[in-house]
Amino acid sequence: MEDFSTDAQVHRYSLRILIVACFLVIAGFGFCQIPLSTPVKKARKLYFKADEKYKERDFGSALKLLREAIAIDKNFYEAYLRKGGLFNALGSEDSVYSNFKQYARKAPQPAMSVIERLAHMSFDRGSYTEAKGYLDQFLLGVPEKVGDREIILLGQSLDFAMREASKSSLQQIEELPPEINQFGLQYLPTMTVDAKTIVYTKRDQYSDDEDIVISEWDGNSWSSARSISDNINTELNEGAATISADGRTMIFTACDRRDSKGSCDLYISRKVGDRWSFPKNLGNRVNSKYWESQPSLSADGRTLYFASNRPGGYGGRDLWVSTSKKSNWSTPRNLGRSVNSFKDETTPFIHFNGQTLYFSSNSYPGFGGFDLLYSNSWDSIWSKPINLGASVNTYRDEVSFLVSADGRKGYFSKEIQKNQKILDSRIVSFTIAESNQPKASYYLAGTITDQETGEPLGAGLEIVDLLTNQVFYKNYADSINGSYCLVLPEGREVAAYIKRSGYLYKSIPFRTDLNSAINVDTMNISLTPLAEGESLILNNLYFETNSHELNDRSRSEIINLSELMKSTPGLIIQIEGHTDDVGNAKYNMTLSQKRANAVLNALIEKKIDQTRLKSVGFGDTKPRSSNTSEKSRQSNRRIEFRVLRAEG
């Protein structure tokens, strides 16, 4: 929820921009000589007195006089129009609507500008049939407006809403417990991949100060929400936060700070151990003299989506993306016309799978206000956005959507509004319709330690797609407590690599297709110090059956092994080939030697000096387990490397 006219991250009234036209002029103020419809002299006299009070800016008296005039003559349509104009100036939308409707009913030839306004106002209230009638009346009176893009959008939205509203009913929405919903207003939630930490923006009912708060799940209940850190929250506004899947990188919006580049900027903070660092402005590339807010981080915290009104977009607010390169962020790129439109796109949320983007927009056919939509990306090309439908969207504003890693549960802030003012907002959850669920993501979490001492270690983490050799996820384990989180995409064959200087890296294969989806679990990982005699199984080397040719899926393992050799110039290794006991011993010995040689040659192609490499085949002579099952035989078919010398 965002106030587009202030420097706050959230709006005091509605996300919708209130465009106030000069209906007082339409209503006739200042043009008292125009003949009036009422034959009652007293009603006309009251009407003219109201005009005088308006000129004196005494709106209360003007309204009282107009009510008296209407009480005398209930068909006095000009008085309804004037009342509507006054309420428009006062920001009382419901009263504008009711008075303009009375005017439209009673006037023999109502002003088309009022009919157009009524079409939009009826739509905004979910009165779709009524809005369609006003729209048809307007186009009949002003046919040249048929090509106006606002009118086209309204017509498309009415067709969509009237067709879709009957297809599905609203899902059962549940408020999160009072430990979370304890403030006057709470909104813009973000969550870790394990759904055990929720971070959101809060504001007390009678205060303009926004802060970021956190609540944690202990397995039974949520903790009472508290300030996330004294290093982050100040007397100024902080909010609209996003956190990485592991909960250790946060980007949030702050306004009017001394180092701000514009009105509202994006700041980054990192958690080491239990402490958040002092926030750092993301710099001139990401932030500008314009408005940047509503960030959303990819699972690994290296891709940032956000909303901005900076130049180069297609509408008011557009969605942009920037990527982290070492310690810097790239120049933001507009997501393009496939997502952005001529009005506003806001509150992006990139799912943990890295492919599905949820956002709010008032520019696509929908149910009214801001609707929630989603788009999927293939090779950086975004699909046509799809409305989430009547299962979540209504004629009110729906913004700031969050989806769990498994794609089944959605979270957002539900508002209670009156006359565009938010009276209350609560964070709620619901089950997402299966047709709208994104591809799931799985995760592993745990700690990384030294195998010999048991001390926690910081380490680099990578998830690589074995088919494309694309790095899907890249992150670091906490340098103090060794905690880590790996996010695994659904429907892929991937490899995890855990690396630290001075240690043998670990390579772990995973399959997350529908037939072999892993269970969410904890996996503690120990790394072995790089020392003579230590060995490592290369789990992500693949050969065809009875072949010594390396499969393309082996590329990432060869790359990681060659990088280890290059980073440790004195390292000399022996590559050891092993088979199961199927077939005769002589054949297995020859096959294991050829496979070891294939790995050696692949490393030579990566510019590793041959003098640092040896290869040997052991056939089936050194099994890791019995050869009594296919699973045990598979563990015996392997390539290991053994450290012959660790230092030069």
Side-chain angles (χ1 to χ4, degrees):
M1 277 83 46
E2 199 95 15
D3 184 354
F4 289 164
S5 62
T6 75
D7 284 346
Q9 290 81 259
V10 296
H11 58 348
R12 294 191 182 89
Y13 302 102
S14 169
L15 186 61
R16 180 182 305 115
I17 300 172
L18 179 61
I19 302 174
V20 180
C22 189
F23 283 100
L24 294 180
V25 174
I26 294 172
F29 282 116
F31 296 91
C32 301
Q33 69 275 22
I34 297 175
L36 300 175
S37 61
T38 180
V40 182
K41 184 176 180 180
K42 185 175 181 180
R44 291 199 304 271
K45 185 176 180 181
L46 291 168
Y47 182 87
F48 294 142
K49 283 186 177 179
D51 183 36
E52 293 173 1
K53 292 297 181 182
Y54 163 72
K55 291 175 182 178
E56 296 170 3
R57 313 299 291 174
D58 185 355
F59 295 158
S61 296
L63 285 171
K64 180 176 181 295
L65 291 165
L66 290 171
R67 290 191 191 100
E68 292 175 3
I70 289 171
I72 294 171
D73 184 352
K74 296 188 181 301
N75 293 316
F76 190 3
Y77 61 82
E78 293 96 341
Y80 288 109
L81 181 60
R82 286 199 174 197
K83 270 184 70 185
L86 270 170
F87 280 122
N88 189 84
L90 294 170
S92 182
E93 283 280 286
D94 291 341
S95 296
V96 175
Y97 182 57
S98 61
N99 279 278
F100 280 3
K101 281 179 67 175
Q102 290 283 9
Y103 162 74
R105 288 194 193 104
K106 299 178 183 298
Q109 292 183 321
M112 287 296 102
S113 57
V114 175
I115 299 302
E116 180 184 14
R117 176 75 181 271
L118 282 170
H120 286 284
M121 295 180 82
S122 298
F123 174 66
D124 289 343
R125 285 158 174 75
S127 300
Y128 302 133
T129 302
E130 188 174 80
K132 185 70 165 60
Y134 285 128
L135 179 60
D136 290 344
Q137 182 181 356
F138 174 71
L139 289 176
L140 188 64
V142 193
E144 62 271 20
K145 296 283 282 185
V146 69
D148 182 89
R149 60 186 182 181
E150 289 278 6
I151 294 298
I152 292 173
L153 177 60
L154 177 59
Q156 292 174 340
S157 293
L158 285 168
D159 291 342
F160 174 85
M162 295 172 77
R163 180 179 69 249
E164 297 293 324
S166 61
K167 285 187 177 181
S168 60
S169 59
L170 286 175
Q171 296 283 355
Q172 182 66 37
I173 290 176
E174 296 182 3
E175 279 192 13
L176 271 61
E179 288 79 8
I180 292 173
N181 285 310
Q182 63 174 281
F183 305 103
L185 302 170
Q186 39 264 304
Y187 36 81
L188 296 167
T190 182
M191 187 176 283
T192 51
V193 68
D194 60 7
K196 293 180 180 179
T197 301
I198 185 170
V199 174
Y200 56 98
T201 306
K202 72 91 173 175
R203 180 163 65 85
D204 295 322
Q205 194 78 50
Y206 302 105
S207 171
D208 289 337
D209 181 46
E210 296 168 329
D211 285 323
I212 300 169
V213 294
I214 183 172
S215 176
E216 293 158 323
W217 176 257
D218 64 6
N220 296 302
S221 61
W222 288 97
S223 65
S224 181
R226 66 186 188 279
S227 171
I228 193 166
S229 171
D230 290 341
N231 287 348
I232 291 172
N233 288 322
T234 70
E235 294 179 355
L236 300 174
N237 285 340
E238 294 82 25
T242 177
I243 51 176
S244 56
D246 60 7
R248 294 192 296 112
T249 299
M250 180 171 67
I251 292 179
F252 65 96
T253 311
C255 303
D256 302 321
R257 292 195 172 194
R258 289 183 178 180
D259 59 348
S260 292
K261 313 300 178 184
S263 58
C264 290
D265 280 8
L266 299 176
Y267 290 77
I268 189 168
S269 176
R270 300 189 189 278
K271 187 180 181 183
V272 180
D274 294 325
R275 187 172 179 81
W276 287 97
S277 66
F278 284 101
K280 180 181 179 182
N281 190 295
L282 284 187
N284 291 326
R285 286 185 177 177
V286 173
N287 291 314
S288 69
K289 65 179 181 180
Y290 298 91
W291 176 89
E292 282 83 29
S293 188
Q294 301 168 346
S296 178
L297 277 170
S298 61
D300 61 4
R302 292 175 178 270
T303 303
L304 171 66
Y305 298 82
F306 64 96
S308 177
N309 63 348
R310 65 205 298 149
Y314 298 95
R317 264 66 180 176
D318 274 15
L319 302 185
W320 300 75
V321 62
S322 175
T323 55
S324 174
K325 296 179 179 179
K326 295 184 179 179
S327 60
N328 295 317
W329 291 85
S330 66
T331 300
R333 175 176 55 84
N334 189 286
L335 288 189
R337 289 188 182 276
S338 57
V339 171
N340 292 312
S341 64
F342 74 96
K343 296 184 78 175
D344 291 303
E345 280 69 44
T346 64
T347 59
F349 167 72
I350 186 68
H351 189 258
F352 300 100
N353 65 26
Q355 293 181 309
T356 306
L357 180 71
Y358 294 87
F359 62 97
S360 297
S361 177
N362 60 1
S363 308
Y364 291 91
F367 296 93
F370 278 76
D371 274 15
L372 292 166
L373 305 96
Y374 69 93
S375 175
N376 290 307
S377 173
W378 292 276
D379 296 326
S380 300
I381 298 175
W382 293 97
S383 65
K384 182 179 178 181
I386 297 173
N387 191 296
L388 279 174
S391 61
V392 59
N393 287 316
T394 68
Y395 62 87
R396 298 183 177 91
D397 291 334
E398 277 76 38
V399 295
S400 187
F401 198 51
L402 168 68
V403 181
S404 61
D406 62 11
R408 298 174 183 174
K409 202 160 209 179
Y411 302 82
F412 67 100
S413 179
K414 184 174 177 60
E415 301 175 354
I416 298 175
Q417 300 179 19
K418 184 176 182 181
N419 285 323
Q420 308 300 317
K421 184 176 182 179
I422 300 176
L423 303 179
D424 189 41
S425 68
R426 301 281 168 181
I427 297 175
V428 300
S429 67
F430 72 101
T431 300
I432 300 175
E434 188 173 348
S435 60
N436 286 328
Q437 290 180 7
K439 280 188 175 182
S441 285
Y442 306 93
Y443 71 90
L444 291 174
T447 57
I448 298 174
T449 58
D450 183 300
Q451 184 173 355
E452 295 182 354
T453 66
E455 292 296 317
L457 296 174
L461 310 168
E462 281 186 356
I463 297 293
V464 180
D465 188 313
L466 291 178
L467 295 179
T468 66
N469 203 40
Q470 175 189 2
V471 177
F472 173 81
Y473 179 94
K474 191 172 184 179
N475 209 345
Y476 296 91
D478 191 288
S479 61
I480 292 179
N481 57 36
S483 64
Y484 80 92
C485 177
L486 286 174
V487 177
L488 308 174
E490 182 185 69
R492 297 190 190 184
E493 189 175 5
V494 299
Y497 293 98
I498 299 92
K499 297 178 285 186
R500 178 183 170 91
S501 178
Y503 289 79
L504 296 177
Y505 70 85
K506 280 283 179 72
S507 69
I508 308 171
F510 295 103
R511 291 195 63 172
T512 59
D513 55 43
L514 295 178
N515 296 321
S516 59
I518 67 169
N519 293 319
V520 175
D521 206 348
T522 298
M523 179 184 288
N524 295 322
I525 298 170
S526 60
L527 296 181
T528 304
L530 195 59
E532 185 176 326
E534 298 292 352
S535 65
L536 176 69
I537 297 175
L538 302 173
N539 288 310
N540 290 297
L541 288 179
Y542 300 92
F543 300 90
E544 300 301 331
T545 304
N546 294 323
S547 170
H548 63 273
E549 296 292 331
L550 282 167
N551 187 288
D552 281 346
R553 293 178 299 159
S554 305
R555 285 179 294 172
S556 64
E557 190 79 77
I558 295 297
I559 289 171
N560 277 279
L561 181 52
S562 65
E563 288 178 350
L564 175 64
M565 299 293 294
K566 291 175 181 177
S567 66
T568 316
L571 180 62
I572 296 176
I573 66 171
Q574 177 172 280
I575 302 163
E576 302 175 349
H578 302 268
T579 68
D580 57 27
D581 67 349
V582 176
N584 66 66
K586 183 178 179 181
Y587 176 83
N588 287 339
M589 187 67 72
T590 301
L591 180 60
S592 66
Q593 182 67 59
K594 287 183 176 180
R595 287 182 170 179
N597 290 342
V599 175
L600 183 147
N601 291 328
L603 291 172
I604 291 173
E605 290 180 4
K606 292 293 183 183
K607 309 300 182 184
I608 304 302
D609 191 329
Q610 187 171 354
T611 61
R612 301 173 60 196
L613 306 170
K614 294 183 179 181
S615 64
V616 60
F618 289 101
D620 57 13
T621 63
K622 293 188 175 184
R624 298 181 66 218
S625 59
S626 67
N627 283 290
T628 57
S629 68
E630 174 54 31
K631 185 176 182 180
S632 64
R633 285 192 292 271
Q634 185 178 3
S635 70
N636 291 330
R637 300 189 296 265
R638 68 196 188 277
I639 297 289
E640 294 186 49
F641 80 81
R642 189 170 304 278
V643 178
L644 300 180
R645 191 174 71 184
E647 298 178 0

